[in-house]
Amino acid sequence: MVRIITCLYKTFQVSLQPMEKRVRVRFAPSPTGGLHMGGVRTALFNYLFAKKHGGDFILRIEDTDQTRFVPGAEEYIVNALKWCGIAPNEGVGFGDGPHAPYRQSERKETGIYKKYADKLIESGHAYYAFDTAEELEEVRKRMEAAKVTSWQYNAVTRQTLRNSLTLPDDEVKRLLDGGEKHVIRLKVPRNEEIRFHDIIRGWVVVNSSQVDDKVLLKSDGMPTYHLAHIVDDIEMQISHAVRGEEWLPSAPAHILIYRYLGLESEMPKLAHLPLILNPDGNGKISKREARFPVFPLSWQDPRESTPYIGYRESGYYPEAFVNILALLGWNPGNNQEIMSLDEMAALFEFERVNKSGAKFDPEKAKWFNQQYLRKRSDDELAEEFKQILKQRNHSRKDEFLVEFCKLVKEKVQFVKEFWDHGSYFFEEPKLQVEAVIAKKWNPQSKELMKELQTVLETLDSWNTEAIHAAFDALVKEKGKIDMQLLRVLLTGAAGGPHLFDMLALLGKEEILKRFATALKKL
RNA sequence: GCUCUGUUCUUCUAAAUGGCCAGGAAACUGCACUUUCACUGCAAAAAUACGGGUUCGAUUCCCGUACAGAGUACCA
């Protein structure tokens, strides 16, 4: 009877977990390069979830692979999260906290991972393996030649390899004492059904025959991800492990580790996020081929010569960037698309995260930025545009810039585009004989323009209404004046803001000067 | 190859535990407003991968096929 109850309990353990556990989530990247948008989204979902439940959001650096360490990557990650406005409240770069250190390489020094690995050895759920990486490589090659497609170190094959399960005890002891290089592997049962629940995907069942005897502790003494993240999640009292879909296949191994450690009841709930896919073609986003930014901030890989441009440098607002990311795989259930972090957090839940991967649409991303740009006041935009103007060695009075932004605002998606759409407000227009002029320029229109010039010259007050009135009066007297021709003459552009507004802003002196040069040139 | 996970308009997606003409957004097209471009408004077009079941009824449940993604390391 007790057995049955225990068995039932084990089966439903996950769902019987107390719900009151404080929400503590972590983002745990490895510093192997710049953090790309997929990683940022994982961080974002963690952040939103923590925020919604008033929990903690932790940044842990998983730097257990010394060979892949990239200088600057960690700092980049910290800066990226800050720029996005989703700063963790605990962890590397964010003031640490009660569970310091938060870098696995430093945590390793405390012996914590070894302790857990030894525990598994003691309970008979892990063993020492002395096969070198080269030897195993050799085996794999041989098996491949023999048409065995995926050879694994597992319940069957470990019986023919050099490990503490096949070697005599005294031999094992001798090797260990002699400092022989070895790893510690998880002893995965041969044929056992492993069930686990994912908040996003529901129940997943995998047979243990599909999971290999994962290395837990490497020969250099470092833990692998599999061991390290579990130890840390337990030690840091993580309530929900939120990570990318690429971890789903190894989740069964993780369940086993928790189970063998006797920690299944303390195991964090799992949520595997869908991937962000490339807009054209298939597959995940590749930083090399993408025709849109992949990184939040520009990233210069020390191993490569050309930097990758970031969203920030492309002119995206962090609010827009984060908003785009949030809606890739999640939606609030209503039709709202533009949301602040606070609004998103209030609405966020994993149950509303999609199971399938989402293709990223760069065009819609721009639209998002445009929405946020429009929310800015003309004053704010002027302030932002001032920087860009400065780079071009121009400056204007604030009042001019505010008015300029007001006129051009509706045409742009990015602040930097103010320049593209209105450079002629700051520089002399380039008067090329383009199609418009070629078609419309003749002695008659030239005469009209001259007349207009004279009329404007005598104008006392210079504002939209006065210019408009003067213009109308002239049209009444002399006939129709081609607005587009006039525009091209004065700006060099075929389109733009309302003509009279533009004249008013540019000022009488400047307009008359432009009339003069245009008439002289043509 | 094997394992796992997916599959609603071109794209992101909605439609609590099966039930009104499958909804919204981006893009595209048209119209209106602008003596321009844009903005805005309106309109149009556009989907349940395929084949079987279960059911009075399936986007929703089950099976198969196809396609896609991920994993298959002493990497994370």
Side-chain angles (χ1 to χ4, degrees):
Chain A
M1 187 60 193
V2 176
R3 259 184 101 103
I4 294 170
I5 290 172
T6 312
C7 181
L8 278 173
Y9 177 66
K10 270 197 170 151
T11 311
F12 295 105
Q13 221 165 19
V14 179
S15 48
L16 287 181
Q17 248 183 50
M19 301 289 284
E20 306 78 38
K21 195 168 173 181
R22 176 177 175 80
V23 167
R24 281 176 60 78
V25 292
R26 82 296 196 272
F27 177 54
S30 55
T32 54
L35 180 65
H36 62 91
M37 52 197 293
V40 176
R41 195 197 49 171
T42 303
L44 172 64
F45 283 8
N46 272 291
Y47 170 89
L48 293 175
F49 188 70
K51 184 155 192 165
K52 171 166 185 169
H53 294 98
D56 301 316
F57 174 39
I58 295 140
L59 176 64
R60 188 172 69 215
I61 297 294
E62 311 220 323
D63 55 348
T64 52
D65 187 354
Q66 296 154 323
T67 63
R68 295 210 308 158
F69 178 81
V70 173
E74 182 183 300
E75 194 188 2
Y76 179 94
I77 292 165
V78 169
N79 289 337
L81 295 181
K82 279 182 183 163
W83 180 70
C84 292
I86 54 173
N89 58 321
E90 194 177 315
V92 174
F94 295 94
D96 278 358
H99 299 279
Y102 290 81
R103 228 177 254 113
Q104 288 183 331
S105 59
E106 291 172 33
R107 298 177 66 75
K108 180 240 171 190
E109 298 305 319
T110 68
I112 183 92
Y113 304 117
K114 179 83 169 54
K115 198 180 96 191
Y116 277 82
D118 286 344
K119 234 173 121 180
L120 287 168
I121 292 262
E122 279 160 33
S123 64
H125 290 297
Y127 59 92
Y128 300 104
F130 300 97
D131 325 85
T132 65
E134 294 73 35
E135 283 166 7
L136 293 177
E137 183 67 23
E138 192 59 35
V139 174
R140 281 202 182 85
K141 269 197 189 132
R142 240 186 306 131
M143 295 317 277
E144 204 169 317
K147 296 236 159 87
V148 175
T149 43
S150 75
W151 182 86
Q152 290 189 320
Y153 206 121
N154 61 22
V156 176
T157 61
R158 70 172 166 243
Q159 290 169 18
T160 63
L161 293 155
R162 293 182 67 230
N163 52 56
S164 58
L165 298 174
T166 58
L167 266 21
D169 287 353
D170 54 338
E171 168 79 351
V172 171
K173 189 170 186 312
R174 193 183 61 77
L175 288 171
L176 255 24
D177 291 346
E180 180 85 2
K181 286 258 181 196
H182 66 274
V183 300
I184 293 180
R185 283 183 183 269
L186 182 67
K187 190 178 166 191
V188 177
R190 180 167 180 163
N191 180 17
E192 202 173 279
E193 212 161 69
I194 307 167
R195 269 166 69 83
F196 63 95
H197 187 264
D198 182 288
I199 315 174
I200 296 171
R201 281 149 214 282
W203 287 98
V204 178
V205 186
V206 180
N207 191 284
S208 66
S209 63
Q210 300 304 324
V211 346
D212 64 333
D213 286 0
K214 297 225 176 299
V215 170
L216 302 175
L217 214 58
K218 301 187 257 188
S219 57
D220 65 357
M222 278 286 190
T224 59
Y225 169 83
H226 305 295
L227 207 223
H229 93 274
I230 286 174
V231 170
D232 290 342
D233 282 355
I234 286 292
E235 293 282 326
M236 296 180 176
Q237 294 166 30
I238 298 302
S239 63
H240 299 257
V242 183
R243 64 216 325 187
E245 194 183 6
E246 68 269 23
W247 292 109
L248 202 49
S250 51
H254 304 157
I255 303 292
L256 252 25
I257 298 175
Y258 278 112
R259 185 174 299 163
Y260 296 155
L261 249 14
L263 294 169
E264 207 168 356
S265 59
E266 289 165 56
M267 192 178 93
K269 292 191 180 179
L270 298 176
H272 289 94
L273 269 23
L275 267 23
I276 301 180
L277 273 20
N278 218 36
D280 38 51
N282 297 308
K284 57 184 176 185
I285 286 174
S286 95
K287 60 179 181 183
R288 215 168 284 280
E289 289 160 36
R291 311 175 105 183
F292 51 87
V294 167
F295 293 100
L297 318 176
S298 286
W299 164 246
Q300 172 68 64
D301 195 303
R303 296 160 300 186
E304 297 176 34
S305 53
T306 46
Y308 295 99
I309 189 156
Y311 277 87
R312 180 178 65 185
E313 290 73 14
S314 302
Y316 281 86
Y317 290 122
E319 309 93 287
F321 177 59
V322 153
N323 200 154
I324 295 159
L325 251 27
L327 258 27
L328 241 33
W330 171 79
N331 73 83
N334 53 34
N335 286 332
Q336 194 182 356
E337 293 197 292
I338 303 297
M339 284 171 285
S340 67
L341 278 170
D342 285 345
E343 288 174 289
M344 288 191 264
L347 265 16
F348 187 82
E349 48 191 56
F350 284 113
E351 285 75 7
R352 293 208 69 91
V353 172
N354 277 63
K355 295 183 183 72
S356 51
K359 280 188 185 177
F360 175 66
D361 183 354
E363 288 308 312
K364 187 142 189 188
K366 291 177 189 167
W367 176 82
F368 271 102
N369 202 68
Q370 185 178 35
Q371 300 306 304
Y372 279 91
L373 187 142
R374 290 200 182 143
K375 285 182 161 193
R376 309 259 156 158
S377 69
D378 298 330
D379 288 354
E380 287 170 308
L381 290 172
E383 200 55 43
E384 291 167 30
F385 180 61
K386 205 186 267 181
Q387 308 308 317
I388 287 163
L389 209 51
K390 204 173 170 184
Q391 287 163 20
R392 301 220 175 233
N393 293 316
H394 288 289
S395 69
R396 286 290 187 283
K397 280 186 177 149
D398 285 353
E399 305 84 76
F400 182 92
L401 291 178
V402 171
E403 191 61 24
F404 165 75
C405 288
K406 192 174 164 187
L407 292 185
V408 185
K409 188 179 185 177
E410 65 204 18
K411 304 191 184 312
V412 305
Q413 293 182 305
F414 299 92
V415 171
K416 64 179 178 182
E417 289 176 347
F418 274 110
W419 176 262
D420 305 328
H421 284 91
S423 60
Y424 54 81
F425 276 91
F426 309 96
E427 291 182 343
E428 220 173 271
K430 293 182 188 81
L431 259 195
Q432 289 144 344
V433 184
E434 44 185 293
V436 179
I437 297 182
K439 208 163 74 184
K440 296 176 174 176
W441 192 246
N442 54 48
Q444 199 187 345
S445 59
K446 183 173 182 176
E447 199 49 45
L448 270 172
M449 288 302 162
K450 272 186 178 165
E451 298 260 7
L452 183 58
Q453 183 189 22
T454 322
V455 168
L456 292 178
E457 212 166 357
T458 58
L459 214 55
D460 288 332
S461 54
W462 191 262
N463 56 52
T464 305
E465 293 73 32
I467 296 168
H468 199 155
F471 183 86
D472 283 349
L474 186 65
V475 169
K476 216 172 209 174
E477 188 188 330
K478 302 279 181 178
K480 199 178 172 206
I481 298 175
D482 194 297
M483 297 279 277
Q484 205 185 11
L485 179 61
L486 177 59
R487 178 185 290 282
V488 173
L489 241 42
L490 296 176
T491 69
H498 284 282
L499 196 46
F500 302 124
D501 286 339
M502 194 193 71
L503 293 184
L505 179 58
L506 272 168
K508 185 174 183 178
E509 196 184 329
E510 178 65 22
I511 290 299
L512 291 176
K513 205 173 94 194
R514 289 190 183 188
F515 260 114
T517 41
L519 290 169
K520 207 164 82 184
K521 266 193 192 170
L522 297 169

